[in-house]
Amino acid sequence: MNDPTTGSHNSATKNPAVPFNMEELKTWLTRITPLNGDLALNRVGNGQSNLTFLVEDTTGARCIVRRPPLGKLAASAHNFVREGKIMAALHDTEVPVPVIYGSTDELADHGQSVSDAPVVAMSMVDGVTISSAEAASPLGLDIRHKIATNMLDAMIHIHGVNLASTGLDTLASHDPYAPRQLKRWSGQWDKTKTRELPALDKLTALLEEHTPEQKETVLVHGDLHVGNVIANPDDGTINAVIDWELTTLGDPLADVGTMLAYWPVKDGLVLPGFEAPLLDGFPKGEELAERYLDATGRDRKALAFWHVLGLWKVAIICEGVVRRVMQNPDNRASGGAPTQQMVEWVVAEAQQTAREYGLS
């Protein structure tokens, strides 16, 4: 959720827990990036998942480094070395991504001298990340609207990526995506839940009942919202799509459902850190979904399932953050962290959304 990787970054904080060997990090980065000399390290963004740091040398040259959160992780979580490889594969496509300099898993010692976990280094991309209402407030109404619609167009480009020519056709299974998602995230819930939650179990059963037929297999970002793009504040161009941790192969409508799950609703669900699209100028989530469906001709009926699944998945992701912060408070982002009550709130919203679509 909301892991700004690059950009002008609206929040940069000194982090008391520096999870790197700074001398080894310096040696590695000065070899693979434009940085030289002494380095300053600041944690950036509101990310509750992977930890993201801005690294700057004395000349002002900058790059971004990312690593998993602190503490014990679920086996399938936070594989962002894979994320870096995905962005590298997309470098010559219409999808805007940062330049990937390298990862510590390419080192002979597997990077253990740099950090206790894998680290990926990438370019710093200029622009604004809409990680809060404060970040969006200086932007004109037309720019806000363009950022949202250009993000939607970037989604369409992602779904149009040629899997064979980019080498991404072996990224994941080509089996139907919905059953894979239900299996994966149900397993994630079992591994990370902090208590029993019957309402979520009922929602899982409802989704299993209404699984749609998959008609095509495309590259799916898995977490696309305005907090995961870097935009030009002057014209709304998307300079980079970031946070590819959940990317896989699957049903394109899954990305639309995820976008709707995060998109705030006036007098409805507003997740912390996702308030910005309530500001004037931003279109409603439903308007963006219509724009996507009109442009692609994809199935409106199937979107109901993916919208509800998106909310279900957000609840499970939030629960994972709750657990990590319980285990190690240093995983808490500067803007705070989800709570158990918030997880229950998202589940209730998912149930209500299912009723509105006629799924329950």
Side-chain angles (χ1 to χ4, degrees):
M1 283 174 49
N2 200 22
D3 253 326
T5 314
T6 45
S8 63
H9 296 300
N10 311 297
S11 60
T13 58
K14 298 287 184 181
N15 188 2
V18 177
F20 306 103
N21 178 321
M22 286 302 295
E23 284 302 313
E24 295 293 340
L25 181 70
K26 173 182 173 181
T27 299
W28 178 57
L29 291 180
T30 53
R31 188 171 74 246
I32 67 169
T33 77
L35 277 68
N36 276 296
D38 292 334
L39 305 180
L41 185 78
N42 289 310
R43 185 172 171 187
V44 295
N46 294 324
Q48 302 284 1
S49 185
N50 293 323
L51 305 184
T52 303
F53 296 84
L54 169 64
V55 186
E56 187 170 5
D57 68 14
T58 53
T59 71
R62 300 174 294 172
C63 80
I64 292 293
V65 294
R66 297 244 282 160
R67 59 150 289 155
L70 308 174
K72 186 177 180 180
L73 306 175
S76 64
H78 313 289
N79 185 0
F80 63 93
V81 171
R82 173 181 178 273
E83 177 187 19
K85 291 177 180 177
I86 292 167
M87 285 189 276
L90 293 172
H91 181 69
D92 292 324
T93 71
E94 290 185 275
V95 181
V97 289
V99 174
I100 302 300
Y101 293 127
S103 63
T104 56
D105 76 326
E106 298 163 348
L107 301 177
D109 62 357
H110 300 288
Q112 290 299 309
S113 60
V114 174
S115 176
D116 64 341
V119 183
V120 172
M122 63 190 74
S123 65
M124 177 77 180
V125 177
D126 289 328
V128 61
T129 299
I130 310 299
S131 56
S132 66
E134 289 75 17
S137 60
L139 304 174
L141 302 188
D142 59 330
I143 298 299
R144 295 175 191 171
H145 192 273
K146 286 178 181 177
I147 289 173
T149 56
N150 288 339
M151 175 202 71
L152 199 283
D153 292 343
M155 181 189 291
I156 294 172
H157 287 315
I158 291 168
H159 298 165
V161 165
N162 186 309
L163 299 178
S165 66
T166 56
L168 293 172
D169 52 343
T170 58
L171 178 68
S173 170
H174 287 241
D175 291 342
Y177 187 45
R180 286 163 44 209
Q181 282 283 277
L182 288 165
K183 180 179 178 180
R184 176 186 175 179
W185 289 100
S186 293
Q188 197 78 356
W189 172 258
D190 290 339
K191 293 173 186 175
T192 61
K193 63 185 177 183
T194 62
R195 77 289 194 207
E196 296 299 324
L197 193 58
L200 186 132
D201 297 333
K202 290 179 181 178
L203 189 60
T204 304
L206 179 70
L207 287 165
E208 289 171 344
E209 262 182 64
H210 292 88
T211 303
E213 178 187 358
Q214 183 167 323
K215 299 177 180 177
E216 57 184 321
T217 298
V218 304
L219 186 68
V220 173
H221 180 277
D223 199 21
L224 191 54
H225 50 73
V226 289
N228 278 339
V229 297
I230 299 168
N232 184 327
D234 296 324
D235 63 9
T237 301
I238 303 302
N239 292 339
V241 177
I242 57 176
D243 200 354
W244 296 80
E245 179 187 350
L246 300 180
T247 299
T248 187
L249 304 182
D251 193 310
L253 289 175
D255 270 342
V256 185
T258 296
M259 178 196 70
L260 289 172
Y262 283 117
W263 208 265
V265 178
K266 188 176 181 181
D267 300 323
L269 179 66
V270 182
L271 295 168
F274 293 88
E275 304 91 346
L278 290 177
L279 296 177
D280 291 341
F282 285 105
K284 294 180 180 178
E286 292 81 1
E287 294 174 34
L288 290 173
E290 283 299 318
R291 178 185 174 92
Y292 179 92
L293 293 169
D294 288 343
T296 63
R298 291 183 170 124
D299 187 4
R300 280 175 165 78
K301 290 182 180 178
L303 182 57
F305 170 88
W306 290 109
H307 187 178
V308 176
L309 185 135
L311 290 163
W312 173 80
K313 187 167 67 172
V314 167
I316 294 172
I317 292 171
C318 287
E319 182 79 358
V321 178
V322 171
R323 185 182 184 90
R324 288 197 299 274
V325 172
M326 283 181 174
Q327 291 174 335
N328 189 331
D330 284 332
N331 284 317
R332 183 188 299 270
S334 59
T339 63
Q340 289 180 326
Q341 183 180 20
M342 186 186 303
V343 174
E344 294 165 15
W345 180 32
V346 177
V347 170
E349 184 69 20
Q351 292 173 317
Q352 176 61 30
T353 301
R355 286 191 290 270
E356 291 172 358
Y357 278 121
L359 295 185
S360 57

